[in-house]
């Protein structure tokens, strides 16, 4: 339940991008993309990533981050990259289920420069290896 928002985000993105294929029904050619995501030198334990067509014309692709690594397939080209990860807040609480005791709220701990106001970009090539590395900083 802790990562429900990220999971729903990736699922919704997949549903939205699913209808963006070619009219003839042919699947687009995709390429394997692997990589790592760290924040202040430490692997991001769990999170989500979205690769958006930089021109806004192509499909978007979502994937999960686990133990600082990700792997997915996507079309070639320049991508804008959004990275999100949540953790339990140490200061904010939400009401517990069925009137139970309060539980810690979830907080987005990846800075907005990497998600809602992303500055991240990546190039996915049709030839060669697509090994991407994102070394994020909590303070710019």
């Amino acid at each position: 339940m802790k990562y429900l928002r990220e999971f729903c985000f990736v699922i919704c993105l997949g549903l939205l991008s699913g209808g963006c294929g070619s009219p003839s029904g042919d699947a687009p050619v995709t390429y394997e993309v692997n990589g790592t995501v760290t924040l202040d030198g430490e692997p991001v334990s769990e999170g989500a990533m979205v690769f958006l067509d930089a021109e806004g014309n192509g499909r978007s692709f979502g994937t999960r981050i686990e133990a600082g690594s990700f792997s997915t397939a996507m079309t070639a080209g320049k991508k804008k990259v959004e990275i999100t990860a949540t953790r339990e807040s140490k200061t904010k609480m939400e009401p517990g289920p069925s009137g139970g005791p309060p539980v810690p709220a979830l907080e987005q701990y990846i800075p907005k420069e990497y998600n809602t106001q992303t500055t991240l970009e990546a190039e996915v090539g049709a030839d060669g290896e697509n090994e991407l590395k994102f070394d994020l900083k909590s303070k710019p």
Side-chain angles (χ1 to χ4, degrees):
M1 187 101 177
K2 182 175 166 182
Y3 299 99
L4 182 60
R5 281 186 248 174
E6 290 173 13
F7 178 74
C8 289
F9 176 72
V10 171
I11 294 299
C12 289
L13 181 65
L15 291 173
L16 289 173
S17 66
C20 298
S22 66
S24 65
D26 294 333
V29 177
T30 58
Y31 303 92
E32 188 68 27
V33 179
N34 302 293
T36 58
V37 181
T38 60
L39 179 66
D40 298 327
E42 297 295 320
V44 172
S45 59
E46 292 185 61
M49 299 177 74
V50 179
F51 292 83
L52 304 142
D53 181 76
E55 304 300 319
N57 300 323
R59 289 182 63 177
S60 298
F61 299 86
T63 190
R64 300 272 311 141
I65 302 166
E66 295 180 6
S69 297
F70 67 92
S71 180
T72 190
M74 68 184 76
T75 56
K78 189 173 183 180
K79 311 292 183 191
K80 285 178 55 174
V81 182
E82 296 178 357
I83 301 173
T84 59
T86 58
R87 63 181 171 208
E88 290 183 356
S89 173
K90 295 179 182 173
T91 58
K92 298 178 187 173
M93 301 294 281
E94 293 180 345
S98 303
V103 295
L106 294 178
E107 65 182 3
Q108 170 64 249
Y109 69 94
I110 302 292
K112 62 187 174 192
E113 293 83 13
Y114 306 124
N115 47 66
T116 58
Q117 297 176 12
T118 189
T119 58
L120 297 175
E121 292 184 340
E123 185 72 36
V124 176
D127 55 352
E129 297 209 10
N130 289 302
E131 188 72 28
L132 305 175
K133 186 175 183 179
F134 297 97
D135 295 317
L136 314 179
K137 305 289 181 212
S138 59
K139 302 214 185 297

